[in-house]
Amino acid sequence: MQEYLKKDCIPCATINAAPEINPVIYPEADLLPLSALQHLLFCERQCALIHIEQAWVENLFTAEGRIMHERVDSGRSESRKDLRISFSLPLHSLRLGLVGKADVVEFHREIRQNGNKTSDLVIWRPFPVEHKRGRPKKESWDKVQLCAQAMCLEEMLSLEVPEGALFYGKTRRRVDVVFDAELRCETAETARRLHELFASGKTPPPVLTSACESCSFIEVCLPHALERPKSVHKYLKSMVGDP
Amino acid sequence: MNTLYVTTQGAYLSKEGETVLVSVEGVKRLQIPVHTLGGIVCFGRVMCSPYLMGFCAENQIGMSFLTEYGRFLARVQGPVSGNVLLRREQYRRADASEFSIAITRFILTGKICNARSVLQRALRDHSDKISHQEVEQAVTTLGNALKRIESINNLDELRGVEGETARSYFNVFDQLITHQKDDFYFRGRNRRPPLDNVNCMLSFLYTLLLHDVRSALEVVGLDPAVGFLHRDRPGRPGLALDMMEEFRAFLADRLVLSLINLGQVKAKGFTKAETRAVMMSDDTRKEVIVAYQKRKQDEILHPFIGEKVAIGILFHIQALLLARYLRGDLDGYPPFIWR
């Protein structure tokens, strides 16, 4: 699978192609959390701290996010004439090796002419909507997570999912996202890197950036102190001598 | 990193939304947001709802139940979590004598250094009230031990040095008590049960410290039961006891001394049972807890990471540094050394 994904973004070329073209799939036991993609894109070390070290830091932001998700997380579904909505829908993709949940997936009713037959064809087109606490970001983190959800839906439902949306709590606005080839490539590549990180089982050393100051893991990560750690032996030598 | 200590008998703790609700006889007494808490410690007859326990376990808020007198009873723990790879590394190191010796040496270096600093500080601050010769002698003994352990490559020998240094430190500990000497004296360490006021306070503070250190190790994903200096024994939190060593003198012992020397505790706050066992009154226990919590809020410069941190955060930093050493990211374990 990893080899396959490395070959110039084949996943984006195989959308809706016959599944047998894709020979390698991840076994269920090796699926990784879909939510880890955004952690990986934000910071590889943070991703490892959360998913390998299993560290968790609750702060105001994560608490807000959790409460917001708990509200969405009710497992309900709604149904109208042209729209069905599913909440916290379980997803996976064996091609990407991911498993997780979509906050909200809307299914939009589409009517297609069914060739020369008289009856129309009805398709319920999935349209994932992910809820985010903050405001739209210039980076692609949220888009990649949403795109991964779309790719999961495509694999599970054998339907094309061309678009979705991100809903931002701060602005209370929906931003439409088109799942183009470029975004799909980035998503597949991120999933591949995630599997590499998990396979290594190692937490990468910190790299101090401006993002560190606002990161909830700063006290667990200690980027200032551990980016270039001092020698413990030198430290002890200097401390043990008479003060 | 606040810890909620509940000493009111008959109190009931429950989860309400994102808060801990403390009520007594159905009357709400206190409500605190959960995310501001690092731990909850319940003394005596304190009850908790299972939902609160589950929530604490899930959010890595350490929750302990102690008797009214501070003896550890139980701890609430959710599913085993943390990094299994890290824990395996810890076990491998504990099984390999070379590593155990190295880690034990780091731990002892911290412990002896800090004990020596407490004595040196006392010599400086109370030069008029202290018999210099004896205390200075102990300082020298500890200094020599620090040099000696560098070349010891045997666990039992290291443990032997530990015993010797602890004896010479506690031999002069009584000298550091400069006030209320009739009521507070130290003739040696005893703990099961404590037979004098000083031992009673020491044991109690060590229990509070152990709770904090243990929670920090668990949060980092280490197994608090598998130690290096302290051999495995069922029910004994070996690693937590190991990591406590560097904090005992600097944090607990000094706090006991200042509570006595500043007159914050009085003899009437202690009772003696028929067996000579000494117990604290509720008020004294509260006084000690408050002093400990206040002390944890003091800031201090961490000499290894070079950052100013609250003393209460030190446990977490040390647990992290130990994990970094076990994973091979550091060339040793840097104990916290107080200057």
Side-chain angles (χ1 to χ4, degrees):
Chain A
M1 180 62 192
Q2 310 231 332
E3 281 309 303
Y4 158 73
L5 277 177
K6 270 179 201 160
K7 277 183 211 156
D8 300 311
C9 313
I10 291 172
C12 29
T14 58
I15 298 311
N16 254 7
E20 57 268 24
I21 293 177
N22 181 0
V24 195
I25 55 169
Y26 285 95
E28 279 198 348
D30 291 350
L31 301 185
L32 300 178
L34 202 150
S35 59
L37 293 177
Q38 50 167 334
H39 299 140
L40 186 83
L41 289 170
F42 173 70
C43 166
E44 271 196 39
R45 180 168 163 86
Q46 194 210 49
C47 182
L49 287 171
I50 296 170
H51 297 282
I52 296 177
E53 305 296 333
Q54 308 257 303
W56 183 240
V57 180
E58 176 97 333
N59 61 20
L60 185 62
F61 300 120
T62 58
E64 272 180 28
R66 186 164 45 73
I67 294 165
M68 183 165 153
H69 274 94
E70 270 168 16
R71 233 177 281 141
V72 183
D73 229 31
S74 47
R76 298 170 288 134
S77 61
E78 285 175 21
S79 178
R80 269 171 256 161
K81 190 170 162 282
D82 291 327
L83 181 69
R84 291 185 199 164
I85 308 176
S86 279
F87 297 88
S88 69
L89 191 64
L91 297 175
H92 78 194
S93 161
L94 302 179
R95 293 184 205 171
L96 296 175
L98 298 174
V99 62
K101 268 184 183 177
D103 279 345
V104 177
V105 179
E106 298 176 353
F107 292 87
H108 299 184
R109 202 165 96 117
E110 281 178 17
I111 298 175
R112 290 266 175 95
Q113 300 272 294
N114 194 5
N116 45 14
K117 296 195 183 101
T118 44
S119 63
D120 286 340
L121 191 66
V122 175
I123 296 170
W124 289 92
R125 179 77 59 201
F127 184 92
V129 183
E130 177 68 9
H131 286 234
K132 292 286 168 197
R133 193 191 56 83
R135 50 182 81 251
K137 307 174 182 67
K138 61 178 193 305
E139 295 87 354
S140 58
W141 310 333
D142 298 342
K143 286 183 197 152
V144 165
Q145 191 190 357
L146 187 71
C147 181
Q149 292 176 4
M151 290 166 83
C152 288
L153 286 165
E154 286 178 339
E155 192 178 305
M156 295 174 89
L157 302 176
S158 302
L159 273 172
E160 258 185 85
V161 182
E163 278 175 299
L166 292 161
F167 178 82
Y168 287 95
K170 274 268 152 61
T171 53
R172 308 208 52 83
R173 286 278 183 286
R174 247 165 106 145
V175 180
D176 282 339
V177 178
V178 177
F179 306 123
D180 57 16
E182 197 188 335
L183 182 57
R184 286 167 187 271
C185 278
E186 189 183 357
T187 305
E189 170 61 14
T190 310
R192 190 190 59 74
R193 276 172 51 211
L194 186 68
H195 277 273
E196 257 178 25
L197 180 67
F198 267 69
S200 80
K202 289 218 168 86
T203 307
V207 182
L208 194 61
T209 67
S210 56
C212 291
E213 297 309 322
S214 61
C215 174
S216 52
F217 279 78
I218 190 157
E219 278 186 355
V220 175
C221 173
L222 298 175
H224 297 278
L226 296 177
E227 195 186 25
R228 278 180 219 90
K230 285 195 240 176
S231 155
V232 173
H233 285 96
K234 274 189 203 153
Y235 160 73
L236 287 179
K237 223 170 219 149
S238 71
M239 297 305 289
V240 167
D242 275 318
Chain B
M1 272 323 126
N2 290 313
T3 305
L4 172 66
Y5 297 93
V6 187
T7 57
T8 309
Q9 298 304 292
Y12 180 69
L13 277 63
S14 54
K15 175 181 181 292
E16 194 182 273
E18 297 288 311
T19 64
V20 184
L21 190 68
V22 183
S23 47
V24 182
E25 287 166 0
V27 181
K28 175 173 148 185
R29 285 283 192 84
L30 186 71
Q31 190 161 16
I32 330 168
V34 174
H35 67 260
T36 63
L37 287 178
I40 299 179
V41 184
C42 305
F43 292 87
R45 206 167 55 78
V46 174
M47 288 149 286
C48 286
S49 82
Y51 302 104
L52 178 65
M53 292 189 205
F55 189 78
C56 286
E58 206 177 309
N59 292 284
Q60 293 178 314
I61 297 165
M63 192 176 211
S64 293
F65 292 88
L66 313 184
T67 66
E68 279 173 83
Y69 309 109
R71 190 172 61 80
F72 179 81
L73 288 174
R75 203 163 47 83
V76 173
Q77 195 184 9
V80 175
S81 67
N83 181 359
V84 63
L85 303 174
L86 175 65
R87 264 201 302 273
R88 262 192 190 269
E89 192 57 44
Q90 178 190 353
Y91 300 153
R92 275 194 287 268
R93 299 253 182 158
D95 280 339
S97 67
E98 186 193 335
F99 285 126
S100 293
I101 290 166
I103 296 179
T104 300
R105 205 183 288 124
F106 289 125
I107 291 166
L108 284 185
T109 303
K111 171 175 180 157
I112 301 171
C113 260
N114 290 339
R116 182 179 63 168
S117 297
V118 168
L119 299 183
Q120 282 169 326
R121 255 317 151 96
L123 279 175
R124 236 180 293 156
D125 297 350
H126 305 288
S127 54
D128 47 328
K129 301 182 192 99
I130 286 178
S131 144
H132 269 246
Q133 207 192 347
E134 279 175 54
V135 180
E136 269 164 8
Q137 182 58 47
V139 169
T140 312
T141 308
L142 298 187
N144 290 339
L146 280 171
K147 289 195 195 89
R148 246 167 71 215
I149 58 171
E150 282 175 28
S151 56
I152 298 179
N153 279 310
N154 175 308
L155 262 183
D156 285 330
E157 253 182 84
L158 282 172
R159 291 188 180 114
V161 176
E162 203 251 312
E164 277 169 46
T165 51
R167 261 192 306 282
S168 55
Y169 167 76
F170 276 128
N171 270 341
V172 296
F173 191 71
D174 187 54
Q175 303 237 15
L176 311 192
I177 301 168
T178 53
H179 292 79
Q180 312 191 69
K181 284 197 82 98
D182 289 340
D183 299 322
F184 294 93
Y185 47 81
F186 186 83
R187 311 258 181 277
R189 182 83 183 105
N190 51 59
R191 56 206 175 96
R192 301 172 113 179
L195 301 173
D196 57 61
N197 300 348
V198 177
N199 273 294
C200 180
M201 279 200 282
L202 283 176
S203 288
F204 183 65
L205 275 169
Y206 292 157
T207 307
L208 299 184
L209 187 56
L210 185 62
H211 168 89
D212 287 345
V213 171
R214 181 181 193 145
S215 305
L217 290 168
E218 272 169 15
V219 168
V220 169
L222 290 164
D223 186 338
V226 177
F228 300 95
L229 167 64
H230 289 86
R231 266 182 267 239
D232 291 357
R233 201 163 74 192
R236 176 156 77 178
L239 187 63
L241 291 168
D242 282 1
M243 182 160 283
M244 239 179 95
E245 295 295 353
E246 66 202 82
F247 296 112
R248 282 179 197 263
F250 147 76
L251 194 50
D253 301 358
R254 284 179 66 231
L255 199 58
V256 167
L257 292 171
S258 68
L259 283 167
I260 298 169
N261 291 341
L262 299 175
Q264 282 172 273
V265 291
K266 298 279 187 216
K268 64 176 190 319
F270 296 83
T271 54
K272 219 168 188 124
E274 288 81 352
T275 57
R276 283 176 56 222
V278 172
M279 287 167 291
M280 276 186 243
S281 70
D282 287 352
D283 289 343
T284 302
R285 199 173 310 115
K286 219 170 254 176
E287 186 79 47
V288 174
I289 290 171
V290 169
Y292 178 67
Q293 278 305 99
K294 267 204 186 133
R295 183 79 183 113
K296 284 203 291 184
Q297 286 161 9
D298 290 346
E299 286 203 332
I300 196 160
L301 182 77
H302 192 292
F304 182 74
I305 68 169
E307 281 177 46
K308 231 178 166 188
V309 291
I311 286 174
I313 302 280
L314 281 178
F315 316 127
H316 284 268
I317 290 176
Q318 291 310 122
L320 267 167
L321 292 172
L322 181 61
R324 298 273 307 190
Y325 170 50
L326 292 175
R327 288 200 304 249
D329 300 340
L330 287 174
D331 64 335
Y333 167 66
F336 170 76
I337 293 178
W338 179 60
R339 278 253 149 118

PDB file of all heavy atoms in Angstrom, chain A residues 51 90 144:
ATOM      1  N   HIS A  51      -0.885  10.577  19.828  1.00  0.00           N
ATOM      2  CA  HIS A  51      -1.282   9.245  19.380  1.00  0.00           C
ATOM      3  C   HIS A  51      -0.287   8.154  19.752  1.00  0.00           C
ATOM      4  O   HIS A  51      -0.670   6.997  19.885  1.00  0.00           O
ATOM      5  CB  HIS A  51      -1.530   9.249  17.873  1.00  0.00           C
ATOM      6  CG  HIS A  51      -2.661  10.164  17.493  1.00  0.00           C
ATOM      7  ND1 HIS A  51      -3.969   9.811  17.657  1.00  0.00           N
ATOM      8  CD2 HIS A  51      -2.672  11.429  17.011  1.00  0.00           C
ATOM      9  CE1 HIS A  51      -4.742  10.814  17.262  1.00  0.00           C
ATOM     10  NE2 HIS A  51      -3.981  11.815  16.878  1.00  0.00           N
ATOM     11  N   PRO A  90     -19.985   6.791  11.334  1.00  0.00           N
ATOM     12  CA  PRO A  90     -18.716   6.050  11.328  1.00  0.00           C
ATOM     13  C   PRO A  90     -18.205   5.828   9.903  1.00  0.00           C
ATOM     14  O   PRO A  90     -18.980   5.517   9.008  1.00  0.00           O
ATOM     15  CB  PRO A  90     -19.087   4.705  11.973  1.00  0.00           C
ATOM     16  CG  PRO A  90     -20.388   4.937  12.647  1.00  0.00           C
ATOM     17  CD  PRO A  90     -21.091   5.985  11.850  1.00  0.00           C
ATOM     18  N   VAL A 144      -7.916  18.868   4.562  1.00  0.00           N
ATOM     19  CA  VAL A 144      -7.404  17.503   4.405  1.00  0.00           C
ATOM     20  C   VAL A 144      -8.258  16.530   5.208  1.00  0.00           C
ATOM     21  O   VAL A 144      -8.623  15.453   4.726  1.00  0.00           O
ATOM     22  CB  VAL A 144      -5.922  17.431   4.839  1.00  0.00           C
ATOM     23  CG1 VAL A 144      -5.475  15.989   5.047  1.00  0.00           C
ATOM     24  CG2 VAL A 144      -5.037  18.104   3.799  1.00  0.00           C
TER      25      VAL A 144
END
